[in-house]
C-alpha cells in the first residue's frame, strides 16, 4: 500500500511505499478522518500523528466518507457530490456511480494522510523543506489574519504579488496581484449610506402615501354615507307626501 503524506505547514508531500503486512494491519478497519500513530507505520515516523483524509482502491475508485463499508458500492450521485464531477449532467439529474466505503481494507491501494503532530526527527522531503505559497489570500479578513493586522492598517499594502517573467527581452518583468474581496473603502461606505438613504426615503414615501390614501378613503366613505342618507331622507319625504295625499 502507498501512503501519500502531506505536510500543510511546509506545503510538501511525499509518497511512501509500505509492503510490510504487519504495519498495514494497524490501518485496517479504520475509517476516514481517524488519527494514526506514526510508530505503527515505522520507526522513522516516531512521534508523528497522521490523519486519514482519503484514498483509492486498486481499480482507482475513491473512498467516500459516510459509506460505512469496506466494499465497493454503487450510489446515486448528483453533480458536485464527492466522486461525481457531473460533466454534461443537467440540473437535478443523478447517476449511479461506484465508490469505495470509508473503512480501510486490503483492497485500498493509496491512502492520503496529513501530519497533525510533528515528531522529533525530520522526514526527508516532507518536513525539512519549505515550499512557498504560489498564491496569497484574496479576502480582506484573511489577509488581516495572515499578517496579524489591526483594523486601522491598510490591507492593500499587504497583498501578495506574483512575479511574472518578461514577455520579451529587454522588457521589465511584470507582476500580478489578486483583487481584494470584501474590502471596506470610503466608496463602499458611501454606497452603503446611499442604499440605506434610498431605502429610508422609500419607506417614508410609502407611509405618507398610505396615510393620504386612508384620508381619501375616509373622505369617500363619508361622502357615500351622506349620499345614502340623503337618498333615504328623500324616499321618506316622498312616502310621507303620498300618505298625506
Amino acid at each position: 500500500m502507498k501512503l501519500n503524506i502531506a505536510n500543510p505547514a511546509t506545503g510538501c508531500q511525499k509518497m511512501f511505499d509500505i509492503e510490510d503486512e504487519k504495519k498495514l494491519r494497524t490501518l485496517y478497519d479504520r475509517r476516514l478522518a481517524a488519527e494514526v500513530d506514526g510508530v505503527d507505520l515505522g520507526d522513522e515516523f516516531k512521534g508523528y500523528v497522521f490523519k486519514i483524509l482519503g484514498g483509492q482502491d486498486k481499480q482507482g475508485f475513491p473512498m467516500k466518507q459516510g459509506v460505512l463499508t469496506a466494499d465497493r458500492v454503487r450510489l446515486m450521485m448528483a453533480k458536485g457530490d464527492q466522486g461525481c464531477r457531473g460533466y454534461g449532467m443537467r440540473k437535478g439529474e443523478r447517476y449511479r456511480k461506484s465508490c469505495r466505503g470509508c473503512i480501510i481494507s486490503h483492497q485500498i491501494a493509496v491512502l492520503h494522510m496529513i501530519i497533525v503532530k510533528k515528531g522529533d526527527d525530520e522526514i526527508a522531503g516532507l518536513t525539512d523543506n519549505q515550499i512557498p505559497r504560489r498564491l496569497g489570500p484574496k479576502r480582506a479578513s484573511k489577509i488581516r489574519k495572515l499578517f496579524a493586522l489591526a483594523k486601522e492598517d491598510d490591507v492593500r499594502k499587504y497583498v501578495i504579488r506574483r512575479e511574472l517573467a518578461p514577455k520579451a527581452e529587454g522588457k521589465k518583468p511584470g507582476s500580478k496581484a489578486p483583487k481584494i474581496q470584501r474590502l471596506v473603502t470610503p466608496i463602499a461606505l458611501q454606497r452603503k449610506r446611499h442604499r440605506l438613504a434610498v431605502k429610508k426615503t422609500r419607506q417614508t414615501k410609502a407611509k405618507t402615501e398610505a396615510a393620504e390614501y386612508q384620508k381619501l378613503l375616509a373622505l369617500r366613505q363619508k361622502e357615500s354615507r351622506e349620499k345614502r342618507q340623503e337618498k333615504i331622507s328623500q324616499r321618506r319625504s316622498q312616502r310621507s307626501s303620498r300618505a298625506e295625499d
Side-chain angles (χ1 to χ4, degrees):
M1 185 186 292
K2 293 182 180 179
L3 301 181
N4 185 17
I5 302 176
N7 188 3
T10 61
C12 299
Q13 66 176 12
K14 191 175 180 182
M15 188 83 77
F16 297 90
D17 199 349
I18 297 179
E19 297 179 356
D20 190 358
E21 191 67 26
K22 189 177 179 182
K23 295 177 182 177
L24 294 177
R25 276 201 206 101
T26 60
L27 295 173
Y28 293 160
D29 296 331
R30 290 179 182 260
R31 298 181 186 177
L32 294 182
E35 293 189 352
V36 181
D37 197 354
V39 184
D40 300 336
L41 302 175
D43 294 334
E44 66 269 23
F45 302 117
K46 189 177 181 181
Y48 284 84
V49 177
F50 303 110
K51 186 177 181 181
I52 304 168
L53 292 187
Q56 282 90 27
D57 62 8
K58 293 176 181 177
Q59 287 75 34
F61 292 99
M63 298 175 70
K64 189 173 176 66
Q65 180 68 284
V67 183
L68 300 177
T69 180
D71 301 325
R72 195 190 304 161
V73 293
R74 301 189 75 223
L75 303 176
M76 294 292 289
M77 296 186 191
K79 184 178 181 179
D81 290 349
Q82 180 191 350
C84 181
R85 286 181 286 188
Y87 293 142
M89 291 177 66
R90 299 174 67 183
K91 185 179 179 182
E93 188 177 1
R94 295 196 299 167
Y95 283 169
R96 190 173 292 280
K97 298 186 76 67
S98 296
C99 66
R100 181 66 65 171
C102 68
I103 299 174
I104 300 169
S105 67
H106 65 281
Q107 296 288 341
I108 301 299
V110 184
L111 267 184
H112 305 288
M113 310 167 85
I114 62 166
I115 296 176
V116 177
K117 181 184 174 186
K118 188 175 178 291
D120 299 330
D121 299 332
E122 299 286 343
I123 301 174
L126 193 61
T127 58
D128 59 349
N129 191 16
Q130 185 81 25
I131 296 177
R133 292 178 64 176
R134 180 176 168 270
L135 299 175
K138 191 174 182 180
R139 193 182 299 174
S141 59
K142 292 191 176 180
I143 296 172
R144 284 197 184 94
K145 186 180 178 182
L146 180 65
F147 293 102
L149 302 178
K151 199 173 183 181
E152 296 79 23
D153 296 327
D154 190 3
V155 182
R156 289 170 288 189
K157 296 178 181 177
Y158 294 89
V159 180
I160 298 174
R161 302 191 71 87
R162 183 162 56 92
E163 298 297 329
L164 298 175
K167 293 183 178 179
E169 292 183 6
K171 290 193 175 182
K172 292 182 179 179
S175 64
K176 262 189 178 182
K179 182 184 176 185
I180 303 174
Q181 301 295 315
R182 303 186 189 180
L183 180 65
V184 180
T185 58
I187 296 174
L189 293 174
Q190 181 183 345
R191 287 173 182 157
K192 186 178 180 181
R193 286 195 299 269
H194 177 67
R195 281 198 309 271
L196 293 174
V198 169
K199 189 177 179 181
K200 199 171 183 180
T201 52
R202 203 184 297 131
Q203 289 175 347
T204 309
K205 184 183 175 185
K207 286 181 181 178
T208 308
E209 289 179 351
E212 290 176 357
Y213 174 73
Q214 291 297 329
K215 283 183 183 178
L216 185 63
L217 186 64
L219 182 64
R220 293 283 187 270
Q221 288 175 348
K222 186 180 178 183
E223 289 176 355
S224 65
R225 280 197 301 269
E226 287 176 355
K227 283 183 180 179
R228 197 181 302 117
Q229 290 295 331
E230 187 178 349
K231 285 183 180 179
I232 292 170
S233 61
Q234 286 178 0
R235 286 174 189 168
R236 284 177 181 171
S237 62
Q238 287 175 1
R239 286 175 186 170
S240 60
S241 63
R242 285 174 187 171
E244 288 176 0
D245 295 340

